[in-house]
Amino acid sequence: MSLDKGQISSDLDKALLAIASTNDLDSLKQIKIDYIGDKSALAKANQSLASLDPGQRAEFGKLIGSARSEVNQAFELKSAQLSKQRDSQVLLTEKVDVTLPGRRTLKGGLHPLTILTNEISDLFIGLGYNVAEGPELESEWLNFDALNIPADHPARTMQDTFFIQPLEAKLVLRTHTSPVQIRTMLEQNPPIYVICPGKTYRADELDATHTPVFHQVEGLVVDEDITMADLKGTLDYFAKSIFGNEVTTRLRPSFFPFTEPSAEVDVFFNGRWIEWGGCGMVNEKVLATCGVDTKKYSGFAFGMGLERTLIVKYGITDMHDIVEGDIRFTQSFGVGKK
Ligand code: PHE
């Protein structure tokens, strides 16, 4: 490459003009690349000095050197000027008003179902019960067979079951908390006093009154001389603790394969009878399956839906409110307060 004074002076002019005519820092950055960077015309001219003979090298060296320093100076000046402008702009637009009130972040809190589960657990722990848990993915045997619901029994169709593939594995999403009764009786000898709160599943569409994933609390007592009167007394105490001292319970004859006799539990709340759950004396067949000596021991069991309990207690009209976790709903139960 040969060097030419006219070219150097025109490169210099172009660079100075570009710097002079820019008004923002972003384009100034690009100008630095184009007119000062390694690939700029003046940098390239500088690189080609090496190929000149010594006499010319000194002359062109000076010329290019002073052109480059002129461009650099103009750049630094412009850069300082534009940065100053930007800073004063930022001070104006990003002024902090220290007199504004602070922003409060909402504290997390417990879902009403969790609050209710804790309340019920505390209540029964106070009566000497233990809290038992079992898996939500349950064997068909524990969810049905051991509870005296054989495969061909119409009672199986009472509960719309989510079966899990492969079907040969015989696993279901538990349709109730009653399999935890079986697990408990297989693991422990009487006396047994447990409650089992937990998630349960049935193939229902989510609507105002149904949800495919819901919660139950199961109670199981197996001891000597346990009668229906113990069951009734326990349910009364349970109902009063949850709904208030003025409520009473009533048992209506019903059918569950795992209890005999069986009953529906109603509570008299806000001036009317409301269906609350199921209960009964543990069927001797179920006790025998679990190796309990039925001559010595008898037992009772009950099971309540927790969503249903909330709906009744608080007059909730739409299941979506419980399921969807909208903070405006949960707040009314003490989110952020507890
Ligand atoms: N497991 C029953 C259900 O989900 C409820 C129940 C539990 C009934 C215990 C009686 C005794 O429908």
Side-chain angles (χ1 to χ4, degrees):
M1 174 180 164
S2 64
L3 288 170
D4 165 345
K5 288 183 187 165
Q7 184 62 42
I8 291 169
S9 121
S10 112
D11 288 342
L12 171 63
D13 289 347
K14 267 194 231 159
L16 293 176
L17 181 68
I19 293 171
S21 52
T22 184
N23 265 324
D24 69 275
L25 283 165
D26 283 340
S27 50
L28 192 64
K29 234 188 233 170
Q30 188 57 43
I31 285 169
K32 187 176 184 187
I33 295 169
D34 294 344
Y35 295 97
I36 298 179
D38 285 348
K39 290 185 180 140
S40 65
L42 286 174
K44 281 189 178 151
N46 196 50
Q47 286 151 20
S48 62
L49 282 175
S51 60
L52 299 182
D53 60 58
Q56 275 196 319
R57 197 182 298 161
E59 191 192 347
F60 274 101
K62 254 192 215 158
L63 193 64
I64 296 170
S66 84
R68 295 183 83 199
S69 87
E70 208 176 321
V71 176
N72 273 326
Q73 266 176 29
F75 172 83
E76 293 303 336
L77 206 70
K78 189 74 177 205
S79 171
Q81 188 192 339
L82 291 180
S83 304
K84 203 170 154 195
Q85 262 175 26
R86 182 205 48 201
D87 291 350
S88 53
Q89 192 63 27
V90 165
L91 282 179
L92 277 181
T93 54
E94 295 182 12
K95 206 163 43 177
V96 175
D97 182 352
V98 291
T99 65
L100 282 175
R103 260 189 218 120
R104 286 205 190 175
T105 43
L106 282 173
K107 270 197 221 157
L110 300 177
H111 190 276
L113 280 169
T114 311
I115 297 174
L116 181 64
T117 305
N118 292 346
E119 234 177 82
I120 295 174
S121 301
D122 285 350
L123 171 77
F124 279 97
I125 287 169
L127 291 177
Y129 284 57
N130 288 318
V131 178
E133 281 182 322
E136 290 163 29
L137 188 57
E138 187 57 284
S139 79
E140 266 184 53
W141 189 79
L142 289 163
N143 193 80
F144 292 122
D145 302 73
L147 286 158
N148 192 34
I149 318 176
D152 56 354
H153 197 286
R156 265 203 203 198
T157 58
M158 275 163 64
Q159 302 183 346
D160 293 321
T161 310
F162 284 115
F163 292 92
I164 301 297
Q165 283 183 324
L167 293 182
E168 307 81 67
K170 298 210 170 295
L171 289 172
V172 295
L173 286 175
R174 67 179 178 191
T175 57
H176 50 180
T177 42
S178 299
V180 190
Q181 287 188 30
I182 305 295
R183 288 177 171 275
T184 308
M185 286 191 279
L186 289 174
E187 277 166 21
Q188 299 170 26
N189 293 321
I192 291 171
Y193 289 80
V194 289
I195 57 152
C196 330
K199 243 180 221 162
T200 47
Y201 300 82
R202 287 185 205 177
D204 279 322
E205 291 287 332
L206 176 64
D207 64 23
T209 51
H210 295 90
T211 162
V213 186
F214 58 109
H215 299 73
Q216 287 190 337
V217 62
E218 188 92 4
L220 171 72
V221 166
V222 183
D223 202 346
E224 292 177 37
D225 303 323
I226 295 296
T227 70
M228 206 105 181
D230 300 309
L231 171 61
K232 178 74 164 73
T234 306
L235 290 171
D236 267 342
Y237 180 77
F238 183 15
K240 284 183 198 306
S241 310
I242 296 298
F243 297 105
N245 251 334
E246 64 288 353
V247 305
T248 45
T249 63
R250 123 183 129 178
L251 301 185
R252 261 183 306 119
S254 185
F255 171 78
F256 299 103
F258 32 93
T259 45
E260 182 57 40
S262 304
E264 303 285 339
V265 193
D266 297 340
V267 281
F268 193 74
F269 183 65
N270 281 345
R272 58 196 178 104
W273 287 106
I274 291 158
E275 200 176 305
W276 187 29
C279 69
M281 299 306 290
V282 182
N283 192 320
E284 282 195 6
K285 276 194 200 163
V286 173
L287 292 175
T289 301
C290 298
V292 173
D293 178 354
T294 54
K295 294 214 174 56
K296 191 166 174 201
Y297 296 108
S298 54
F300 67 70
F302 56 84
M304 273 78 191
L306 295 185
E307 281 79 0
R308 174 132 190 92
T309 306
L310 281 182
I311 284 171
V312 172
K313 181 169 175 180
Y314 296 107
I316 297 164
T317 48
D318 192 344
M319 184 68 80
H320 290 88
D321 287 339
I322 297 180
V323 172
E324 282 167 0
D326 185 327
I327 196 150
R328 288 168 298 183
F329 172 75
T330 44
Q331 257 170 352
S332 57
F333 292 88
V335 170
K337 291 185 202 145
K338 277 228 154 180

